[in-house]
Amino acid sequence: MTAPTSPRIEQHPDILALRAHSEAATSTPVAQAVEALALLCGVYLAASPWIVGFSGAFTLAIHNVIVGAAFACLVGGFGSAYERTHAMSWAALCLGAWTIISPWVVSGHAFITHAVVSNVVAGAVACLVALALARMGMARSRR
């Protein structure tokens, strides 16, 4: 067998530079706080049917569990592999926007006020942290 003549892709200078920039972008206290807030937002959204009490809004409760778990899993990848996942912050933004309008779409007109307020606030926070995560990725790519 012959030895490879070119270096492995993991040792490519561009890959190493990308990892270094991503590490610098996510190692600041502000970036870590944004990641933690995003993860807590997803966990709250998943648990909100029991925290707020969505009695009578079963479809919205199931919806929040699914969207909250998806949001938490999505932003959970940012801390460990930001160089590969920062572009998915736009998907997190879409989930946040969907959370804001979902009480009217999922439940129709039979909804509870505190469930709507909970979803709007959680969706707004999700949108803000998703935009902050996207900004960290764009600031990294401009360098």
Side-chain angles (χ1 to χ4, degrees):
M1 246 195 186
T2 62
T5 58
S6 61
R8 296 175 49 104
I9 190 69
E10 294 88 18
Q11 303 303 320
H12 193 277
D14 290 340
I15 299 292
L16 295 175
L18 177 67
R19 286 186 181 151
H21 287 302
S22 296
E23 181 67 28
T26 59
S27 64
T28 64
V30 173
Q32 292 172 355
V34 169
E35 290 173 17
L37 184 60
L39 186 62
L40 286 174
C41 182
V43 170
Y44 170 78
L45 187 59
S48 64
W50 294 277
I51 294 171
V52 177
F54 286 16
S55 57
F58 181 73
T59 55
L60 186 60
I62 296 299
H63 167 271
N64 277 18
V65 170
I66 293 169
V67 172
F71 188 83
C73 290
L74 182 65
V75 300
F78 295 149
S80 61
Y82 190 72
E83 72 270 5
R84 294 186 303 269
T85 60
H86 74 277
M88 288 190 288
S89 58
W90 297 108
L93 178 64
C94 291
L95 284 175
W98 170 250
T99 300
I100 293 172
I101 64 169
S102 65
W104 294 278
V105 175
V106 172
S107 294
H109 294 288
F111 54 81
I112 304 163
T113 303
H114 53 274
V116 172
V117 170
S118 174
N119 269 35
V120 169
V121 170
V125 170
C127 287
L128 290 175
V129 295
L131 285 172
L133 289 166
R135 183 177 179 273
M136 287 188 313
M138 290 188 320
R140 178 195 51 80
S141 64
R142 274 189 245 139
R143 291 181 188 166

